[in-house]
């Protein structure tokens, strides 16, 4: 059964960094592109980043470009999101999601349960 | 402020038909497919409609999607209490070169 488990969330001060992880199981992780999507409390979804199946292509939402880095380790079936210079407005539940296919322009299909990031002093 | 505009809330009674709109522009809905996600309270989003009007396996045919010009719609017929959830539209934006989501619509079954 397909499963995505995010971790690494917590409370962090503004301007600091945090790295999120997402461990995949139940499907061939190395064959699929992967997304990060976040949801602020009581708000809608905001797409954050996507990475192609082999990590060769990455794309980011405008609000995180230059500060966040998406990466993956296919040998560990793990997706990462390195977040730098965090802002209070980035307090949100961060979801990882498997894409429909291997390329970075494929949409999110299956989602994990999310990990909560709270940016507060 | 999302590039895709959805009504914050809609409501209906059991058995009724409801529709949720998603308004965009030429750079997103106007030239690309639209997906819809259902998010039950406290749960992760689930893909409900893809490629504008296709249902993944297991999604009842009570749910349907459509698109006209720069707007898309999700229709739910034969409304049931378990349909109470948030619904999010999503599409690719050619200008941003990224995915965009609507602000989400909360469906209440009265």
């Amino acid at each position: 059964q397909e499963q995505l488990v995010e971790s690494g969330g917590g409370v962090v001060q503004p301007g600091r960094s945090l790295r999120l992880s997402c461990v995949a199981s139940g499907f061939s992780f190395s064959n699929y592109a992967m997304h990060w999507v976040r949801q602020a409390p009581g708000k809608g979804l905001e797409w954050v980043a996507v990475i192609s199946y082999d990590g060769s292509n990455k794309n980011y939402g405008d609000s995180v470009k230059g500060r966040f880095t998406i990466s993956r380790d296919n040998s560990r079936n793990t997706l990462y999101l390195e977040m730098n210079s965090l802002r209070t407005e980035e307090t949100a539940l961060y979801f990882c999601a498997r894409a429909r296919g291997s390329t970075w322009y494929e949409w999110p299909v299956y989602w994990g349960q999310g990990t909560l990031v709270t940016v507060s002093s | 402020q999302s590039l895709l505009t959805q009504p914050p809330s809609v409501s209906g009674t059991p058995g009724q038909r409801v529709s949720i709109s998603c308004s965009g522009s030429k750079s997103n809905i106007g030239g690309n497919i639209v997906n819809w996600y259902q998010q039950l309270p406290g749960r992760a989003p689930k893909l409900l409609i893809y490629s504008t009007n296709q249902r993944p396996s297991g999604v009842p045919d009570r749910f349907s999607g459509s698109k006209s010009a720069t707007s898309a719609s999700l229709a739910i017929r034969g409304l049931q209490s378990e349909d109470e959830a948030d619904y999010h539209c999503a599409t690719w934006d050619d200008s941003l070169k990224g995915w965009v989501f609507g602000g989400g619509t909360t469906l209440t079954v009265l």
Side-chain angles (χ1 to χ4, degrees):
Chain A
Q1 183 175 345
E2 190 165 0
Q3 192 171 19
L4 295 168
V5 179
E6 302 92 336
S7 63
V11 180
V12 60
Q13 292 180 327
R16 304 299 291 265
S17 300
L18 202 62
R19 186 174 88 153
L20 306 183
S21 299
C22 168
V23 177
S25 61
F27 67 99
S28 297
F29 179 73
S30 60
N31 288 347
Y32 291 93
M34 295 292 294
H35 294 264
W36 285 101
V37 180
R38 65 187 179 187
Q39 186 171 33
K43 302 294 185 183
L45 300 170
E46 181 187 9
W47 177 75
V48 174
V50 64
I51 185 169
S52 60
Y53 73 106
D54 60 356
S56 62
N57 288 290
K58 305 173 187 181
N59 201 12
Y60 299 90
D62 279 353
S63 62
V64 307
K65 273 180 190 170
R67 297 185 299 118
F68 287 17
T69 301
I70 189 171
S71 62
R72 66 191 296 159
D73 184 343
N74 285 345
S75 67
R76 296 176 183 268
N77 286 353
T78 304
L79 174 73
Y80 301 101
L81 184 68
E82 185 75 38
M83 305 184 293
N84 298 321
S85 303
L86 280 162
R87 305 166 179 167
T88 56
E89 59 266 31
E90 294 179 311
T91 292
L93 190 60
Y94 284 72
F95 297 99
C96 69
R98 174 180 69 77
R100 184 190 71 143
S102 61
T103 55
W104 58 273
Y105 49 84
E106 308 265 12
W107 56 83
V109 173
Y110 180 77
W111 303 55
Q113 293 303 307
T115 186
L116 181 62
V117 173
T118 303
V119 185
S120 173
S121 53
Chain B
Q1 191 81 358
S2 176
L3 293 180
L4 304 181
T5 301
Q6 297 182 236
S9 63
V10 298
S11 63
T13 56
Q16 200 174 20
R17 180 186 186 278
V18 297
S19 179
I20 298 172
S21 62
C22 177
S23 178
S25 66
K26 280 185 185 178
S27 68
N28 43 64
I29 292 178
N32 295 289
I33 57 92
V34 179
N35 297 330
W36 290 90
Y37 297 88
Q38 178 192 59
Q39 188 175 23
L40 296 172
R43 303 293 296 273
K46 168 192 160 187
L47 183 64
L48 190 68
I49 297 287
Y50 68 95
S51 293
T52 304
N53 55 16
Q54 302 298 303
R55 287 184 308 277
S57 173
V59 173
D61 61 3
R62 303 187 295 106
F63 295 90
S64 62
S66 63
K67 186 181 92 165
S68 177
T70 59
S71 289
S73 288
L74 172 71
I76 309 171
R77 60 177 173 81
L79 201 59
Q80 298 180 5
S81 58
E82 57 259 40
D83 297 334
E84 206 164 79
D86 289 333
Y87 292 85
H88 308 270
C89 60
T91 188
W92 179 262
D93 188 280
D94 295 325
S95 298
L96 294 180
K97 290 190 169 36
W99 288 93
V100 289
F101 286 89
T105 298
T106 298
L107 169 63
T108 302
V109 181
L110 301 169

